[in-house]
């Protein structure tokens, strides 16, 4: 295998890994503060991407065509909108079910995800067909031998990693982060310290959902296509990544995201004649990993939860 | 005006720990103790004051203002702090982070630092171990963190729930000495305990709870020699 192909696989893996990590941290944050799995996460991500796409249509319609201004507008609308949706779901669907068995929350969010997906398919104009997402990033590329390094990939990876870094700072260095970790470790004692529990839960869901929307926009900018089903596979991969890493652990989720992307890339490289099987390969390895380490690679006991 | 004034309180937590029509006063600047065996309703009373278990009936007043049913963070904002039963560390946080959480509602960083230093002066052991994860400390050290954390918010009223539970006699003695010191600084203390003799020795006034009802009350010195108190426990 030549250098160019290996570099291509590597660049692709890093980009996918960043994207998956951004989805996985949401699962881990939600599980941290509420001990729930929110299965609608992927579909909320899809909805957020469609909000961004709609914002782009709106900007085009009013004649704002500068791609950088469009990009800022798309990101602002998508992240803020999705953060609000995430907080609303927490407030009206997940917190009220707090005393119910966890299975109920799982079922409710599974159904909510389906409802969101079907609603976009049915009610978004021509929603059942894929949409061409605009290429807002420069399409320049640098040739290194037989490998073409795309400028948009570099920008996406750097901004994605910066977002993960910022999230890490928020969790470990700010007052809100201290409150989120306190709630994750002992809800009742956190309340006794004077922490507004409901507010912290809503903030956590807003942050996790906004971060996932960023992954959705990344996905759109990279593939230049979005569709109503995109959240299903991204959500499943993000969930797997969070589980592999040891649910409840922020670093585990990031590690899990990159590990899953690595598996996909290895699958695609090993099976060049049938790269469509890369997901089968990746999920098969995840199943094997779970059989080997049922509590994830970084078990919660020996590591910081959230 | 009473520090805490509880009237006709009815509350239930965990079914086994029920309060029937309890009325009591916690006098400002004093140590008021609540004695009783397991399941007598002591924890439910603390939870009701903190807003963790809203009462079914009755009122709780703090310095004359009704706080019944307020969410916990608003109760804490009125100047109450708690040292919970079992110490309740945040196990995966450092000693300093645990202490800082006690001052969660304090926005003045200089004041937080000043109080941290005060806690470290009170417990030099914690100063040495300020970066250690609280979950890896001994029970006695965790008790220090828990007491320090209760003081970090600068409370007017401190609720202390069974501080001697699970501690060696030496630490128990030390704990009671520190609680007296807290009272001497002007902080109102409401002390919930099973340890009758040592608790009454440092308290000013006491109540005895049995089966969710108050069965005795009086000046601590009088209660110490009261047969009813011993009946409530051992009868």
């Amino acid at each position: 295998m030549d250098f160019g192909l290996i570099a291509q696989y590597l660049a692709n893996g890093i980009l996918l890994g960043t994207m998956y990590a951004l989805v996985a941290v949401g699962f881990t944050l939600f599980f941290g503060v509420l001990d729930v799995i929110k299965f609608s996460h992927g579909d909320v991500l899809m909805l957020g991407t469609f909000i961004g796409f709609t914002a782009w249509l709106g900007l085009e319609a009013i004649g704002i065509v500068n791609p950088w201004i469009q990009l800022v507008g798309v990101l602002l609308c998508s992240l803020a909108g999705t953060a609000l949706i995430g907080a609303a779901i927490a407030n009206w669907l997940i917190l009220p079910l707090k005393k119910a068995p966890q299975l109920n929350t799982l079922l409710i969010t599974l159904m909510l995800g389906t409802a969101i997906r079907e609603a976009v398919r049915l009610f978004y104009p021509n929603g059942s067909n894929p949409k061409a997402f605009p290429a807002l990033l420069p399409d320049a590329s640098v040739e290194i031998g037989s490998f073409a390094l795309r400028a948009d990939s570099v920008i996406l990876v750097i901004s994605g990693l910066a977002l993960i870094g910022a999230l890490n700072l928020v969790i470990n260095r700010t007052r809100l982060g201290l409150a989120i970790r306190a709630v994750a470790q002992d809800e009742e004692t956190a309340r006794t310290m004077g922490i507004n529990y409901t507010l912290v839960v809503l903030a956590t869901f807003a942050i996790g959902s906004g971060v996932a929307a960023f992954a959705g926009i990344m996905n759109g900018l990279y593939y230049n296509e979005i569709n109503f089903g995109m959240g299903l596979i991204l959500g499943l991969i993000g969930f797997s990544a969070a589980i592999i890493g040891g649910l409840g652990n922020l670093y585990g989720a990031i590690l899990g995201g990159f590990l899953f992307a690595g598996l996909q890339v290895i699958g695609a490289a090993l099976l060049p004649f049938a790269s469509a099987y890369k997901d089968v390969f990746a999920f098969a390895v995840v199943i094997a990993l779970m059989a080997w380490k049922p509590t994830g690679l970084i078990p919660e006991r020996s590591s910081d939860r959230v | 005006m009473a520090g805490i004034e509880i009237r006709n309180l009815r509350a239930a937590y965990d079914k086994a720990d029920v309060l029937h029509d309890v009325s009591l006063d916690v006098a400002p600047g004093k140590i008021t103790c609540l004695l009783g065996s397991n399941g007598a309703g002591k924890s439910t009373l603390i939870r009701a004051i903190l807003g963790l278990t809203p009462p079914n009936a009755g009122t709780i007043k703090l310095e004359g203002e009704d706080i019944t049913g307020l969410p916990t963070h608003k109760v804490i904002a009125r100047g109450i702090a708690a040292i919970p039963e079992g110490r309740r560390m945040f196990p995966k946080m450092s000693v300093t982070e645990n202490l800082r959480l006690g001052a969660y509602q304090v926005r003045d960083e200089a004041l937080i630092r000043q109080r941290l230093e005060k806690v470290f002066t009170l417990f030099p052991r914690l100063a040495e171990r300020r970066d250690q994860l609280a979950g890896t400390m001994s029970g006695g050290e965790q008790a220090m963190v828990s007491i320090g954390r209760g003081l970090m918010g600068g409370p007017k009223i401190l609720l202390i729930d069974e501080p001697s539970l699970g501690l060696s006699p030496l630490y128990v003695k030390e704990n009671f000495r520190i609680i007296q010191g807290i009272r001497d600084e002007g902080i109102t203390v409401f002390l919930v305990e099973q340890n009758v003799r040592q608790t009454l020795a440092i308290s000013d006034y006491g109540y005895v709870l049995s089966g969710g009802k108050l069965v005795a009350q009086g000046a601590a010195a009088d209660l110490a020699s009261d047969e009813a108190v011993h009946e409530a426990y051992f009868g």
Side-chain angles (χ1 to χ4, degrees):
Chain A
M1 198 182 289
D2 74 321
F3 161 78
L5 201 57
I6 294 175
Q8 196 62 60
Y9 279 127
L10 196 63
N12 196 29
I14 291 171
L15 185 111
L16 289 176
T18 308
M19 205 153 74
Y20 298 159
L22 288 168
V23 184
V25 292
F27 279 104
T28 252
L29 282 176
F30 306 153
F31 185 78
V33 292
L34 268 181
D35 280 346
V36 297
I37 302 297
K38 181 184 165 242
F39 261 119
S40 55
H41 193 46
D43 295 297
V44 168
L45 172 161
M46 178 274 296
L47 190 57
T49 315
F50 271 78
I51 292 173
F53 179 69
T54 310
W56 174 75
L57 290 177
L59 290 170
E60 284 277 310
I62 58 171
I64 295 173
V65 292
N66 179 312
W68 293 109
I69 296 176
Q70 285 190 341
L71 186 63
V72 171
V74 164
L75 279 175
L76 275 182
C77 291
S78 174
L79 267 61
T82 316
L84 275 179
I85 292 168
I89 292 172
N91 193 37
W92 283 298
L93 273 182
I94 299 177
L95 276 177
L97 283 173
K98 196 166 167 284
K99 293 212 167 68
Q102 290 176 354
L103 220 48
N104 295 20
T105 307
L106 202 139
L107 180 65
I108 288 264
T109 57
L110 197 63
M111 293 191 293
L112 174 72
T114 309
I116 292 174
R117 198 159 59 241
E118 286 302 299
V120 168
R121 185 171 77 86
L122 294 169
F123 300 123
Y124 199 87
N126 198 16
S128 54
N129 288 319
K131 306 280 167 214
F133 202 86
L136 299 174
L137 293 169
D139 59 359
S141 63
V142 184
E143 304 283 335
I144 309 167
S146 56
F147 164 60
L149 184 63
R150 285 167 57 178
D152 60 349
S153 311
V154 175
I155 295 172
L156 287 174
V157 166
I158 289 175
S159 49
L161 292 178
L163 187 59
I164 292 175
L167 181 66
N168 194 26
L169 281 181
V170 167
I171 298 295
N172 288 311
R173 292 273 181 274
T174 66
R175 186 168 176 269
L176 173 64
L178 186 65
I180 290 175
R181 284 182 293 141
V183 167
Q185 288 180 27
D186 186 339
E187 180 208 318
E188 204 168 271
T189 308
R191 287 180 195 253
T192 308
M193 296 298 113
I195 291 170
N196 184 341
Y197 170 76
T198 307
L199 201 64
V200 168
V201 168
L202 296 189
T204 308
F205 275 72
I207 292 171
S209 304
V211 168
F214 188 90
I217 298 291
M218 247 178 110
N219 189 75
L221 289 170
Y222 188 64
Y223 293 111
N224 297 128
E225 186 190 290
I226 59 172
N227 65 70
F228 70 92
M230 66 186 278
L232 202 57
I233 189 74
L234 270 174
L236 191 59
I237 291 175
F239 178 50
S240 313
I243 297 274
I244 305 171
L247 201 54
N249 179 297
L250 201 60
Y251 303 112
I254 297 165
L255 176 76
F258 280 95
L259 190 71
F260 195 92
L263 290 174
Q264 277 186 325
V265 168
I266 290 169
L270 288 181
L271 312 163
F273 49 91
S275 65
Y277 288 96
K278 65 182 195 302
D279 288 348
V280 177
F281 172 78
F283 279 115
V285 175
V286 168
I287 292 169
L289 267 179
M290 293 320 296
W292 175 51
K293 292 242 176 198
T295 52
L297 294 178
I298 308 180
E300 206 199 305
R301 276 161 52 125
S302 66
S303 56
D304 279 81
R305 177 158 172 184
V306 180
Chain B
M1 195 187 301
I4 304 177
E5 187 186 310
I6 293 171
R7 290 293 171 269
N8 308 105
L9 196 73
R10 287 167 189 271
Y13 173 65
D14 260 6
K15 285 182 182 152
D17 212 54
V18 181
L19 287 181
H20 305 284
D21 211 25
V22 169
S23 300
L24 60 81
D25 291 326
V26 177
K30 308 271 190 216
I31 298 177
T32 304
C33 69
L34 180 68
L35 297 165
S37 53
N38 268 335
K42 305 191 303 295
S43 296
T44 304
L45 186 61
I46 292 278
R47 294 181 63 87
I49 296 171
L50 286 173
L52 291 169
T53 300
N56 301 324
T59 57
I60 303 167
K61 283 185 178 171
L62 182 68
E63 293 180 326
E65 287 182 57
D66 196 343
I67 60 162
T68 321
L70 276 188
T72 307
H73 66 275
K74 289 192 176 159
V75 175
I76 302 299
R78 301 282 179 105
I80 289 190
I83 298 172
E85 183 185 339
R87 300 175 278 283
R88 300 289 284 266
M89 294 291 95
F90 295 103
K92 290 160 189 168
M93 291 192 196
S94 69
V95 169
T96 308
E97 282 182 311
N98 265 280
L99 293 174
R100 279 183 168 273
L101 275 163
Y104 183 76
Q105 292 190 349
V106 180
R107 295 299 195 125
D108 180 353
E109 179 62 25
L111 188 58
I112 295 175
R113 283 174 190 277
Q114 186 190 326
R115 288 189 184 148
L116 266 177
E117 283 315 310
K118 204 174 155 194
V119 170
F120 287 148
T121 313
L122 188 62
F123 302 108
R125 179 88 68 102
L126 297 186
E128 292 164 21
R129 307 197 166 196
R130 62 180 79 193
D131 295 323
Q132 188 175 336
L133 292 186
T136 65
M137 302 180 93
S138 74
E141 289 164 343
Q142 291 190 357
M144 296 175 194
V145 177
S146 191
I147 293 171
R149 196 173 61 178
L151 295 172
M152 283 295 293
K156 288 182 279 188
I157 298 174
L158 192 56
L159 312 180
I160 310 179
D161 196 355
E162 305 218 15
S164 60
L165 197 71
L167 290 184
S168 71
L170 199 67
Y171 274 125
V172 172
K173 206 175 161 195
E174 175 69 8
N175 262 352
F176 280 116
R177 194 184 60 77
I178 287 165
I179 292 168
Q180 272 184 305
I182 291 170
R183 188 256 328 263
D184 294 342
E185 284 191 28
I187 298 173
T188 305
V189 174
F190 187 44
L191 175 61
V192 173
E193 258 296 350
Q194 294 197 49
N195 184 333
V196 182
R197 192 180 312 193
Q198 278 172 296
T199 304
L200 287 174
I202 64 160
S203 297
D204 299 292
Y205 199 84
Y207 293 89
V208 180
L209 198 61
S210 177
K213 293 184 179 118
L214 287 179
V215 292
Q217 61 171 294
D222 300 338
L223 276 183
S225 55
D226 188 340
E227 281 302 313
V229 177
H230 298 276
E231 288 284 317
Y233 270 96
F234 310 113

